[in-house]
Amino acid sequence: MELYAKLAFIPPTILPLSLKIKNKVDEVLRIATWKAHHNADEGQWSAVAHLLLAEVATWPRAQPLLVIDTQRSRIGPSELYTKMPGDVALIYEESKSCVTSEMTSPSTNTEISKMVDWSMALDLSSSDTDKISKAFTAFNFNECSLNQSLSYVRHSPLFGDLEVKKQHQMRDPAIQIAIWKSAWLKKAIWHQWDTSLPMPAITVEGHTWHWYLFMAAGEGLVMLGPFNMGNTSTLNDIWIILYRLKVLFDWGATTYRGWFDEHILKWAENHDPDAEKGKGKSSTLENQTGALNLSYGE
């Protein structure tokens, strides 16, 4: 898998050194060290993560990218909620073994709607946005989203997500990421979108960063990880985090952008209501399938 290989590899020279980037790395180390010493809360560590995300997102690329605050973007509609225990398989680097998800709750039918802290997204042109908006005019509101949320991010193509927790706490951030990714898979199946592309994610617990890849396995989800991404407690590890963030953002601007053009923009063109009128048939998914049924794996 190309993305896995690039994320796992660390070159002898991490990144071209510039005064601007060096100053940013020094700043991150200083701030992260202070937060660790003072037992900073989750929001404070989230601000550190954003410093690094925002830095790499602005580096020159043909495709403009965004870092979006998704802390208040709940999963929606409710059909995309994960029912616990979920059927996400976890594959850990240490053992390379597949185990049942530990996402447990008192009820076996508890629906979970979780949001994440930050998402990486394509910054679409106005013409691309118009194509998407035009296609969605023929759909019910609950269907009108490019991702797993109906909030202000619904027309943003999200290609990577990050969840933050404070250091020395018991909650596993990978669970929240898995719930979020599971909702995206249900959304893709709903619209009959291609699900072959890996779905990268990052978790941050205080100083410690990990990366993951989620992949569809039929109608279920497999999680590869956690893999060490770096640490904000040393200068060298911050450089490693920046390198791996660059890999993810470059992948989003190239591979994910190509997938988006092939599978989402073409889908939007095929669901242009004016074109559908010419064919004499409705473009809504509900009319095509009779009724929406988003449950799977049960």
Side-chain angles (χ1 to χ4, degrees):
M1 185 189 304
E2 182 182 3
L3 181 57
Y4 175 91
K6 288 183 176 180
L7 285 169
F9 174 71
I10 297 296
T13 302
I14 299 298
L15 288 168
L17 182 63
S18 74
L19 182 60
K20 175 180 177 293
I21 299 176
K22 180 183 182 302
N23 289 341
K24 179 66 68 174
V25 170
D26 291 342
E27 179 188 10
V28 168
L29 177 62
R30 178 180 60 82
I31 293 173
T33 300
W34 186 94
K35 292 183 188 299
H37 181 73
H38 293 278
N39 194 29
D41 61 22
E42 184 176 311
Q44 293 294 314
W45 284 108
S46 183
V48 175
H50 183 256
L51 282 175
L52 294 171
L53 289 168
E55 168 63 31
V56 182
T58 59
W59 292 353
R61 295 177 184 87
Q63 166 63 55
L65 302 175
L66 296 169
V67 176
I68 301 178
D69 183 345
T70 47
Q71 296 177 71
R72 291 173 176 80
S73 297
R74 299 191 69 84
I75 293 170
S78 60
E79 288 88 350
L80 301 183
Y81 291 177
T82 292
K83 292 185 177 180
M84 306 295 270
D87 59 346
V88 180
L90 308 180
I91 300 180
Y92 286 94
E93 180 185 24
E94 292 80 9
S95 64
K96 299 295 183 184
S97 62
C98 184
V99 299
T100 303
S101 167
E102 295 181 358
M103 296 190 297
T104 59
S105 73
S107 168
T108 59
N109 198 38
T110 300
E111 291 182 331
I112 304 298
S113 170
K114 295 280 189 180
M115 57 281 254
V116 292
D117 290 305
W118 301 100
S119 290
M120 296 166 269
L122 302 181
D123 186 3
L124 295 181
S125 66
S126 57
S127 61
D128 287 344
T129 301
D130 288 345
K131 288 179 184 178
I132 299 297
S133 298
K134 194 171 184 181
F136 278 144
T137 59
F139 286 77
N140 297 323
F141 175 76
N142 281 355
E143 301 171 272
C144 297
S145 174
L146 290 177
N147 52 60
Q148 58 271 60
S149 179
L150 292 171
S151 72
Y152 55 89
V153 303
R154 62 186 180 275
H155 286 174
S156 297
L158 310 179
F159 63 84
D161 307 291
L162 184 144
E163 173 61 20
V164 182
K165 299 294 182 190
K166 64 181 292 186
Q167 59 183 356
H168 310 313
Q169 53 84 46
M170 298 300 294
R171 293 175 299 164
D172 186 352
I175 293 176
Q176 206 153 325
I177 286 284
I179 292 170
W180 181 256
K181 295 298 190 182
S182 177
W184 156 250
L185 180 59
K186 288 186 178 184
K187 172 70 174 179
I189 292 172
W190 179 355
H191 283 298
Q192 299 179 337
W193 292 341
D194 175 72
T195 60
S196 63
L197 210 60
M199 298 171 272
I202 300 168
T203 61
V204 178
E205 296 180 83
H207 276 308
T208 306
W209 290 51
H210 287 98
W211 61 271
Y212 306 75
L213 292 179
F214 290 82
M215 296 179 296
E219 294 186 341
L221 193 66
V222 170
M223 184 183 85
L224 299 179
F227 303 104
N228 179 40
M229 185 163 178
N231 195 296
T232 54
S233 63
T234 70
L235 287 174
N236 186 66
D237 263 24
I238 295 172
W239 283 105
I240 292 173
I241 290 172
L242 285 174
Y243 166 77
R244 287 184 165 133
L245 285 177
K246 180 181 183 300
V247 169
L248 284 176
F249 278 107
D250 289 352
W251 177 86
T254 55
T255 302
Y256 177 82
R257 176 69 220 207
W259 175 89
F260 182 81
D261 290 346
E262 178 67 24
H263 298 286
I264 306 301
L265 282 186
K266 285 188 177 179
W267 170 87
E269 292 166 358
N270 291 335
H271 288 78
D272 184 323
D274 294 334
E276 292 294 335
K277 286 177 184 176
K279 298 175 185 178
K281 58 183 179 182
S282 169
S283 65
T284 66
L285 187 61
E286 188 169 3
N287 285 338
Q288 290 174 21
T289 61
L292 294 177
N293 181 3
L294 303 187
S295 62
Y296 68 93
E298 300 179 21

